[in-house]
Amino acid sequence: MSQALSFQIEPNAHPVSAADRAAAIAAPGFGKVFTDHMVTIRYTEGQGWHDAKVHARQPLVLDPATAVLHYAQEIFEGLKAYRLEDGTMALFRPEANAQRFNASARRMAMAELPEELFIEACRQLVQIDRDWFPDVEGGAIYLRPFMIASEVFLGVKPSSEYLFMVIASSVGGYFKSGAPAVSLWVSQDYSRAAPGGTGAAKCGGNYASSLVAQAEASKRGHDQVVFLDAAENRWIEELGGMNIFFVFDDGSIQTPPLSGTILPGITRDSLLTLAREEGLTVREERYAIDQWEADAKSGRIVESFACGTAAVVTPIGKVSSPSGSFAIGAGGPGQVTQKLKDRLVSIQRGSAADPHKWVMRLD
Ligand SMILES: *Cc1c(COP(=O)(O)O)cnc(C)c1O
């Protein structure tokens, strides 16, 4: 049975030297510094999951007819390993990532991976590459589990073979600007997801189709894109890779509902839980772009923020579209945003109680 798969461990014979590693993780940025190892597990129809290995990080050799290169059967996850205040390495809600990975797999007609195997793969990689933890503000080892269709075949059908991998990256803050708040561009010409499509699956294809809008935003000097619903071009959905929250002057908060076109963020879910515990009124209801503008201008909206594993909680300072711009609050992190962020980060770092058992200690 796949649950009982044991990992073959082949340590990297030529790891990065301690001095080079120290230099690399001193100011790691995001997604540029990679560790010495990776995990691979193979799936073959009829046989199931097999050949679980931890080995040196290395290039993949793929036949040019490998299915993923043509029809994009690919999904991924993103989670961080933190060092707790007492020095223990820990994962935050990894079972939620494992479950979402399988939900994505089902949508993309790919093989599901037993949750224990997903978590064990993450654990093994953090164990062997723990020296890559960067001791910087907001530092973490970012894990990127992903799976590709690996059958060599040009016919259009679900692949009969898959390759699951985990790689790891030493990371600091996500936004290089270090700005107190990000600016958003409202995408009018491009949608991220349509009803019945793949918006709720964490697949590379969603990102591929969002990049032209992101490039347009960057060209106009904005940090991120905010996407509207595909049917009416009116209801706020999410950013290219982060969910969105609105804070009202009566202290209530609101976020768009999981309608099938929005990625169910684990940060989103965690913040909803924490906000309810704080006694805030929380709504998961749709919110129109013109209403956001009117409410920001009237003062009914006092804060807005984006959230996701990579950037955690990021205040939104300004929103622009071809018809003009509006500012949110004072342009920096507001009180509610800061409070929710502090609550979340202190649980993730092990400095606050963890009543929901979100933190999984690795040793
Ligand atoms: C991953 C992702 C998020 C955030 O999810 P988290 O689990 O909070 O990291 C939001 N939107 C999209 C499109 C994503 O891919």
Side-chain angles (χ1 to χ4, degrees), residues 26 122 137 163 172 183 188 235-236 243 264 274 323 342 344 351:
C122 294
E137 167 84 25
L163 177 58
S183 66
Q188 304 277 358
W235 305 104
I236 301 162
N243 296 116
L274 295 175
S323 57
D342 290 346
L344 179 65
S351 58

Side-chain angles (χ1 to χ4, degrees), residues 76 100 104 107 186-214 224-231 233 235-244 256-265 268:
F76 67 95
R100 188 172 66 187
S104 300
R107 178 61 184 85
V186 183
S187 179
Q188 304 277 358
D189 298 334
Y190 306 105
S191 302
R192 194 192 81 89
T198 59
K202 212 165 171 76
C203 63
N206 288 341
Y207 280 75
S209 69
S210 76
L211 294 178
V212 65
Q214 179 62 43
Q224 291 276 313
V225 175
V226 56
F227 287 98
L228 306 178
D229 77 295
N233 216 32
W235 305 104
I236 301 162
E237 297 221 304
E238 62 170 315
L239 276 50
M242 282 183 276
N243 296 116
I244 192 166
L258 300 179
S259 56
T261 53
I262 289 174
L263 201 286
R268 174 189 180 279

Side-chain angles (χ1 to χ4, degrees), residues 307-326:
C307 68
T309 296
V312 195
V313 170
T314 304
I316 296 164
K318 190 178 146 194
V319 183
S320 302
S321 70
S323 57
S325 293
F326 58 96

